Structures are given as structure tokens and as C-alpha cells.
Amino acid sequence: MPFESQSVPSEVSVPPLTRPQLAEARRMRAVELFELGQPHAEIARMLGIHPESVRRWKRVWEGGGAEALRRRPAGGRPPKLVDAQVEQVRIALEQGAQAHGFEANLWTLERVGLVVERVTGVKLARASVWRLLTGRLGWSLQRPQRRAVERDESEIARWFAHEWPRIKKGR
């Protein structure tokens, strides 16, 4: 049975490499250049690193091969939330704060912590909620603009078009 062609979306979302992934890719490129016999100074220039790093990597490579230069799993305590739970939290947060019973559609660390606990049953400290949002979910701090509810954009535009030039000219 022949394969049927499927339409592939024109924009495939590929997440950017993390800093450790980029560092490992740089070391693996250095390994390729070691095998080609490139001089240390040239490798350093090509990879944009200090020549001493190249010498250190070469010593490690000579002692243990390319595997010795690979990333090692992070040490320390494992995260409280597994990837599947983080994805559940992402879906819940994308629904907005009001969907979870909060009055304003604004996320705070406390509110996110409550949603995490409701969705996963895991209680996180404020610092852990921050790391979850900024590290694992890739969110950033956003501060809402403070604007008066009574603000009338059309009146502001009219004032700038008619009143401001008159005031500026001093008439």
C-alpha cells in the first residue's frame, strides 16, 4: 500500500535549544574538528570560544572519546512535577485565570500555585512556581499597563489632532 501524502503545516514549531544543549553541540562540533586535525586556535576561532577550552576538551576527548564530552543528567533532587504534569499545568494556565474562578484574568505566583495544586495535587513553594513558569514553561514576567477604565481613545486622538497643535502654537 503506497503512503499517502499528508499536508504538513508550513510553520513547524521547533523549540529553541537550551543553553546546555548549545554547549554540548559546540563540544561535539569540536570533536569533529579534532578528528579532522584542525589546530586548536582555528577550532577556538570557529566556535567562538577560548583556546584553553579547546585544549581542555581535547584532553577529555583523548581520555574518554566523544561520550566524555556529552551532557550529564543534572544532579540534585528530581523535579516534583513530571513533564506530563507540566503539560497539564500549561493547558490549565492557558485557559486564563478567570476560568479557574479568579476575579481578574491576571496570573500571580500564588494563583498559579493554587492551580498547580488543583491540577496535579502537588503543592509548590513560590520560588518553585517561579522556576516552573520561567524555566519549564518558558513564560516571562509581564506587568499589566495601568489605564483608567474611563479612558476614551477616540477623545484622546481628537485632542491630539485639534487641541494640542493649537496649544503648542500658543494661540
Side-chain angles (χ1 to χ4, degrees):
M1 179 175 173
F3 292 101
E4 295 181 16
S5 65
Q6 296 178 347
S7 63
V8 178
S10 60
E11 291 185 29
V12 177
S13 177
V14 177
L17 293 178
T18 62
R19 184 178 265 162
Q21 289 170 330
L22 286 169
E24 181 182 23
R26 190 177 292 129
R27 291 190 303 271
M28 293 303 105
R29 178 67 180 132
V31 166
E32 293 171 6
L33 296 170
F34 294 153
E35 291 170 348
L36 292 174
Q38 291 286 334
H40 292 169
E42 182 64 18
I43 294 173
R45 187 193 61 73
M46 290 171 69
L47 298 179
I49 58 173
H50 196 276
E52 183 55 37
S53 295
V54 175
R55 288 189 285 277
R56 188 178 65 250
W57 293 350
K58 183 142 188 199
R59 283 192 304 271
V60 171
W61 173 68
E62 290 171 340
E67 282 306 308
L69 289 171
R70 292 243 180 241
R71 270 191 319 150
R72 290 169 191 74
R77 181 181 179 152
K80 286 186 175 183
L81 298 177
V82 296
D83 290 341
Q85 290 173 310
V86 172
E87 191 54 35
Q88 288 175 325
V89 170
R90 177 191 309 275
I91 291 167
L93 295 178
E94 286 175 349
Q95 294 170 353
Q98 289 176 328
H100 293 280
F102 299 109
E103 191 173 314
N105 207 13
L106 182 72
W107 286 116
T108 63
L109 292 177
E110 290 79 13
R111 288 179 177 186
V112 172
L114 286 171
V115 171
V116 168
E117 192 171 358
R118 288 180 198 158
V119 171
T120 66
V122 176
K123 184 171 178 67
L124 296 178
R126 281 176 50 108
S128 298
V129 171
W130 177 257
R131 281 191 301 274
L132 169 70
L133 289 172
T134 58
R136 296 185 73 186
L137 292 176
W139 286 26
S140 62
L141 177 63
Q142 305 288 315
R143 296 198 188 272
Q145 284 187 333
R146 298 197 181 271
R147 291 204 167 171
V149 175
E150 302 85 7
R151 185 177 172 101
D152 183 355
E153 295 296 333
S154 62
E155 178 59 23
I156 293 170
R158 186 204 62 76
W159 188 88
F160 268 112
H162 300 290
E163 301 297 324
W164 176 244
R166 184 182 57 78
I167 294 169
K168 191 172 178 182
K169 288 180 182 175
R171 289 187 200 163

